[in-house]
Amino acid sequence: NTIGSVIGLVTIALACYALIPRYELPGAAMAASITYGVSLLYHLAVFQFRERATLSQYLFNREDVQFVRHFFLSLHRGNHLKNLLNKRNGGSN
């Protein structure tokens, strides 16, 4: 996490130095977006290395879509999130 923070600090410093003088407030927004993107890529790479994750595991599958659908339907119906999570986890708890 410290390495990720240092990468973010260096990225934001360089991006702000390059973008703010020319683009002012929009440049600051671009610098922040670039920094978030670089941080995301770093953390994904670390996660993928440590967990041996495949790229397909980052994508939505049918179960994920059904879970999200049922989640929003339960919100609409006023059901509790706990009941939905219990259903996803095989009914335990």
Side-chain angles (χ1 to χ4, degrees):
N1 203 17
T2 302
I3 295 171
S5 296
V6 170
I7 289 171
L9 176 66
V10 170
T11 304
I12 195 74
L14 293 174
C16 285
Y17 179 77
L19 296 172
I20 290 176
R22 182 171 180 177
Y23 298 105
E24 298 175 346
L25 189 58
M30 287 187 285
S33 296
I34 290 167
T35 302
Y36 286 128
V38 168
S39 180
L40 172 68
L41 291 175
Y42 168 77
H43 285 94
L44 281 175
V46 169
F47 177 77
Q48 187 162 353
F49 175 76
R50 288 184 180 170
E51 299 298 324
R52 305 285 187 237
T54 62
L55 291 177
S56 65
Q57 290 174 310
Y58 296 117
L59 303 175
F60 282 105
N61 60 30
R62 180 175 287 161
E63 287 179 9
D64 295 329
V65 172
Q66 288 175 349
F67 176 77
V68 170
R69 180 177 168 268
H70 289 297
F71 172 76
F72 284 109
L73 287 174
S74 71
L75 288 178
H76 178 69
R77 294 180 186 141
N79 296 337
H80 293 89
L81 178 60
K82 183 177 178 181
N83 292 337
L84 180 64
L85 292 174
N86 283 338
K87 183 177 179 181
R88 182 174 185 171
N89 293 329
S92 62
N93 291 358

